[in-house]
Amino acid sequence: MSVIEALGLAVLHRFDPERAHGLSLKALAAGLVPLPGVISSDRLRTTVAGLDLPNPVGLAAGFDKNATVVGPLSRAGFGFVEVGAATPRPQPGNPQPRLFRLTEDRAAINRFGFNNEGAEAIGARLSARVRGAVPVGLNLGANKDSGDKALDFARVLAVCGPHVDFATVNVSSPNTEKLRDLQGRAALSALLAGVMQTRAELAQPIPVFLKIAPDLTDDELAEIAEVALASGVAGIIATNTTLSREGLVSSSKGEIGGLSGAPLFEKSTRVVAQLSVLTDGKLPLIGVGGIASAEEAFVKILVGASAVQFYTAMVYQGISLAAKIARGLDALLEREGYANVAEAVGKGRAQWL
């Protein structure tokens, strides 16, 4: 982290977390943040679900909800970028305050509730973007007051699908009432059938991923793996935020919402390892949760993730962390004798089962 970035983070942390987030987006849009460009190498370059990634280190959904800084983020060192979540209609989300830093835990709690400008506005921005080497995807969500939340996912895909490289069905946010109920076998099968039908109707069908919660029983996880394999989705993103508060020490630990950051690492990594066994290599996995270093990204890959995503760690280490993790992962792969990241996928799974 540069001195300028460290000073910038110190200033941002003087503001309310949501206000600081908005300021960081404005700084990116204004070109005030130094960006390294695309980070890649023969070891880092990989293909996941047909997507050619310059490196396997991605930005998780939630940072750029309305696709306002896709260009800068594509030059920030990430190998792929996910924006959103988008819902069919604009919605304000839950009342503020709804984002809390847990500095002592290197974590955050949010209860945003899919606040966004809606699929039409987000789709228009994505349509206007200049496509480059870094794939850009969209997280699909449902309106809080929707009478058919399952249908909402297909509606967003129909509007925005032509303008992105992949999409993610997000049935795992804890901040929209009854959304996680859609992870059950029957509901999830029906939801994914509708989404995949819409995908098939796109002029250029794109990979569709399924994002799941970390708070699932072994039986629930096995059901989801079975449904995912049968549905035709391109892969599973594991995991979203957790409702657990185990081991937290920060004063905001009692806030309602989803917990992200360092405390999620072990829980989410075990889910990736379990899914790796359940899917038997038939579906690529993207590991998310608690990553704040190249070493932690490498662990996710060793337990079965073909690529990784992070977001919360940027609150504490800045956007330069993307390039730092990508370059550090390259060095780790070289040190361990891997010619390419794909060779390392699943090689350290056993110790996490």
Side-chain angles (χ1 to χ4, degrees), residues 132-307:
V134 176
V136 174
L138 177 66
N139 193 279
L140 313 177
N143 281 117
K144 181 179 182 179
D145 60 354
S146 173
D148 189 344
K149 287 185 170 58
L151 183 58
D152 278 9
F153 295 93
R155 287 172 174 159
V156 177
L157 182 61
V159 172
C160 299
H163 313 305
V164 291
D165 302 303
F166 67 94
T168 299
V169 174
N170 183 359
V171 291
S172 50
S173 170
N175 300 316
T176 295
E177 186 179 359
K178 297 185 178 179
L179 187 71
R180 286 192 172 187
D181 293 349
L182 296 174
Q183 292 178 118
R185 183 194 297 272
L188 185 59
S189 294
L191 185 157
L192 291 177
V195 169
M196 296 308 287
Q197 178 60 42
T198 299
R199 173 193 177 272
E201 295 167 359
L202 296 175
Q204 294 279 334
I206 57 175
V208 173
F209 294 89
L210 172 65
K211 188 168 188 176
I212 66 170
D215 307 315
L216 297 163
T217 66
D218 291 349
D219 288 345
E220 288 169 336
L221 200 58
E223 276 192 4
I224 285 176
E226 185 179 328
V227 171
L229 286 165
S231 70
V233 297
I236 300 175
I237 299 179
T239 66
N240 211 320
T241 57
T242 181
L243 293 173
S244 170
R245 298 294 186 266
E246 184 179 355
L248 298 182
V249 298
S250 299
S251 59
S252 296
K253 64 183 180 181
E255 293 291 344
I256 295 171
L259 172 73
S260 60
L264 185 55
F265 181 78
E266 184 171 335
K267 180 189 284 277
S268 61
T269 302
R270 291 192 186 284
V271 172
V272 173
Q274 288 176 275
L275 283 173
S276 181
V277 174
L278 291 166
T279 58
D280 194 27
K282 296 181 178 70
L283 281 180
L285 308 174
I286 296 178
V288 195
I291 294 172
S293 68
E295 289 76 14
E296 288 165 336
F298 194 37
V299 169
K300 298 277 193 192
I301 290 164
L302 289 172
V303 302
S306 295

Side-chain angles (χ1 to χ4, degrees), residues 18 92-100 109-113 115 256:
E18 189 165 352
N94 294 321
Q96 297 182 11
R98 54 193 178 180
L99 177 63
F100 306 89
I109 291 174
N110 90 83
R111 50 173 180 262
F112 280 116
N115 57 309
I256 295 171

